[in-house]
Structure formats: structure tokens, C-alpha cells
Amino acid sequence: MYTERREWTKLIPIFVMALILIVVFKTLDNLSGIMAVVGGFFRILTPFLLGVLFVYFLFRPVSWLEKRYAQAKWVFWSKRARLFSVLSVYLTLVLAILLMAALLIPILVQSIVDFAGQVPGYMDTAAAWIDGVAEDSTLLSGLDLQAMVANLSSDLLGGDGVGQVASGVIGVGVGIFNVVIGLIVSLYILLERERIMKFFDRLGQVLFKEAARRELKQYLGQVNKVLFSFISGKSLDSMINFVVVTTILLVLQVEYALLFGVIAGLANFIPFLGSLFAVIFITIVTLLTGGFTQAIWVLVPLLIFQQMDANFIEPRIMSYRLKLSPILTIFAVLVGGAYFGIAGMFLAVPVIAIIKQIILEYLSINIKAKEAKEAAALAKANKAATVKPTG
């Protein structure tokens, strides 16, 4: 009976491995459906995720103001330090948004509308130019490049203009709703953050042992350091890109300078590739709108600034460098963009940096534990060797 039980227990790992393989196979076989379900779930959670993101950025100014209000001599202010700090930060944020909406957004919206209306003409110009190049080239003469560009234009612009406008209006409305709900969620999180943190701390006491909780806090600290450094540093650097690129384009009297400045600032969030793509895009559009000479005048200063930013400005802004190899960074951006679109390209680098940091922390802890164990074993062996046998 004992022998039969031992033989049966040897089959357990095989059954477990087979079950894991079946689960993995079924997951890969239905990956599109699973991703659709996950995507729908995250769309539902978008306002709450935005709220957490707002808290992440607003916590430091709120905390700084709360300390100042708590030190106020007037008891009415000091007793309500948290409330007044949160209200002060949100009032400042709302005023900044309203100021941008009054000054910049109308110009930006008009630029987007004008640019979208000019896109068909730009595509026709590009198609004619490519067709002329193809006629002079033996290699390209057999390709109907003008038809290819026309098809690309049709795919990009779509046939149902009214449907596209309606879809765009609905998308903007949903985005505004998500932002408003996210701000409300972040407001309550900041006001009740001590209770929320106390709940998660008690939950951690129930789920994890003390040693595991310490390691988890260490990992989360590293994650916070990487995320805050990347997002805050990139935000500041993107603002610098927006101001500098917009200024250069305004001086050179380029059409849609503000729109292109916004594109350059947003593209800067994509490491390595984003700024370069922005420079290429701006140069191509300038070539179509202002001619070859103006495109060269735009390309040269933008490339110079892009190199200065990549090699001098951004490394000094980032207080904590991610120290990722260029190959790993480009791989992360491409994979993130392939599976999660623009948002995946934005978040790919901090995510891969967090994974790398967690792996390094795990290896460091285990190597130290192994070295301590080996040192204890060596000390024990040395002690045993020095003890003289009695007899």
C-alpha cells in the first residue's frame, strides 16, 4: 500500500504540468477574446484609474500645503489643514485648466480643424510627387504608387465624414466625463488617504508575514521611485520640448506651430523614438506646406535641439535614471505599442524598468541570504576544526 501511494504521488507533478500547459494553450488560443474582456474591464475602471493617477501627482503639493496650514496660528486653519490644502491645490488646478481653455485650446482646436481640412490636399501633393519620382525610376516604374497613396489617404480619412465627426464628439465627451469623475475620485482619496492606507496595511498584515511585508514595501518603494522619476521628469522635459519647438516654428513662420509643438511635447513621452518621429512628421508637413527650403530650415534646428535634449537636458532633469539599454528600451516601446497602442508606448519603459528593478532587488536579497548562509557554514566549520578532540 505504501509503495502504491508513493508511485501515485510521483504522478502529481506530471498532472500539474499538464494542467498548466492546457491553461496556457487555451489562453493563447483565445487571446483576442481575453484581451477584449480585459480591455472592456479597464475602460469601465478608467475614471478610477485616472483618479489614482491624479492622486499620484497631487499628493506632494497637497502634503506640502497641509504642513503649512497645520503650522498656521489661526486654529480654524490648522484644524482643517487637510481640507484647505486639498481645496487650494484643486482650485489652482481648475484655474490653470480654465486659463488654458480660454487662451490655448481655441487656437489649438482651430489648428486641428484647419490641418484636417488640408490633409487631402497634402496627400494629393505627395501622391503627385511620388508618381513623378516613379516615372524617373526604372525600379519603381512598375508600381502604381499614386494609387497606393490614394488608398492610404482613403483608409486614414475614411468615407463617412459625418460618422467620424460624431464618433469624435462622443469620444471627447467620454474623455471629459472620465476626467471629471477622476478628479472627484482623487479628491476623496486625498481627503481619506489615512483610512485607505490603514486598510491596506491591515490587509497586508493578514495576507503576508512580517518579512514578506518588508520586502513588499521595499519593492513598492523602488516602483514608486522609478514611476515618479520617469513621469515627473518626462512631464517637465515634454513641457520644455513644447515651448522650444513651438518657439522655433513661430520664428520660422511655420503653419500650425502650436499644434506641432503639442505633438512634439506628447511624442517626447515615447523614449528614443518619439522625438525623432515628431521631427520627421513636422519636417514632412512643412515640406508639403512651405516648400523644400523652409523644411530644411525647420529640420536643422529641430534636430540640433533633439540631440541637445537627449544628451544634456533630459539626463539632468531625470533625478533617477532608468539605466536601460537602448535595445531593451526600443523593444519595450514596440511591444507596448503593438499590444496596447499609444498608451502602451508611453508606459512600456517605466513598466520594463519596474520589472528590471524588482528582479534586481529579488536577486540582491537572495544573494545576500546565500552569502550569509555560506559565511555561517564556514564559520561553523572553522570553529569545529579549531576544537581539539578530548580523550
Side-chain angles (χ1 to χ4, degrees), residues 84-370:
F84 285 122
S85 64
V86 172
L87 292 179
S88 298
V89 169
Y90 275 80
L91 181 61
T92 304
L93 181 63
V94 170
L95 289 176
I97 293 174
L98 292 177
L99 185 63
M100 289 182 59
L103 298 179
L104 296 179
I105 292 181
I107 302 174
L108 186 61
V109 170
Q110 187 61 45
S111 297
I112 294 173
V113 172
D114 293 343
F115 180 73
Q118 295 295 328
V119 167
Y122 299 153
M123 300 297 290
D124 291 339
T125 303
W129 180 80
I130 292 174
D131 191 54
V133 172
E135 289 180 358
D136 298 333
S137 173
T138 305
L139 181 63
L140 301 178
S141 59
L143 298 177
D144 190 358
L145 296 179
Q146 191 168 5
M148 294 171 62
V149 174
N151 292 333
L152 176 62
S153 175
S154 177
D155 292 338
L156 291 175
L157 299 177
D160 187 5
V162 177
Q164 284 190 336
V165 171
S167 178
V169 171
I170 293 174
V172 171
V174 172
I176 294 174
F177 173 79
N178 288 335
V179 169
V180 171
I181 299 299
L183 287 172
I184 296 174
V185 170
S186 64
L187 177 68
Y188 282 105
I189 293 176
L190 286 171
L191 289 174
E192 302 291 333
R193 62 180 183 269
E194 287 184 354
R195 294 182 181 178
I196 296 174
M197 293 303 298
K198 186 177 181 180
F199 166 77
F200 281 108
D201 186 63
R202 294 179 64 183
L203 183 64
Q205 292 178 2
V206 174
L207 297 177
F208 305 103
K209 296 181 179 180
E210 184 63 27
R213 286 178 59 224
R214 284 198 303 267
E215 292 184 8
L216 182 60
K217 285 184 177 180
Q218 186 175 359
Y219 290 147
L220 292 178
Q222 293 293 333
V223 169
N224 177 69
K225 191 175 182 180
V226 171
L227 270 180
F228 190 82
S229 174
F230 178 82
I231 297 177
S232 60
K234 272 293 183 181
S235 299
L236 178 58
D237 188 54
S238 295
M239 184 62 66
I240 294 173
N241 271 260
F242 163 71
V243 173
V244 173
V245 171
T246 303
T247 303
I248 292 174
L249 298 180
L250 286 174
V251 170
L252 296 174
Q253 298 181 351
V254 176
E255 285 190 79
Y256 316 117
L258 181 63
L259 175 61
F260 291 158
V262 172
I263 291 174
L266 293 176
N268 184 65
F269 273 95
I270 303 174
F272 279 90
L273 304 178
S275 298
L276 184 60
F277 285 162
V279 171
I280 294 173
F281 173 77
I282 294 171
T283 304
I284 292 175
V285 177
T286 305
L287 176 64
L288 297 173
T289 57
F292 181 78
T293 303
Q294 189 179 35
I296 295 298
W297 278 103
V298 167
L299 176 63
V300 173
L302 289 184
L303 278 180
I304 293 174
F305 169 70
Q306 194 259 345
Q307 291 300 312
M308 289 178 58
D309 178 68
N311 294 286
F312 298 102
I313 299 175
E314 185 177 352
R316 284 158 178 77
I317 291 176
M318 304 287 279
S319 59
Y320 179 78
R321 300 194 66 181
L322 302 182
K323 299 177 181 178
L324 295 175
S325 68
I327 296 177
L328 184 59
T329 301
I330 295 174
F331 174 77
V333 170
L334 293 177
V335 172
Y339 283 97
F340 302 102
I342 299 297
M345 298 177 74
F346 285 160
L347 298 176
V349 172
V351 168
I352 201 72
I354 289 169
I355 294 173
K356 174 189 173 183
Q357 193 65 36
I358 291 175
I359 293 175
L360 291 178
E361 289 290 334
Y362 175 80
L363 293 177
S364 177
I365 292 173
N366 283 272
I367 289 173
K368 289 180 180 179
K370 184 178 179 180

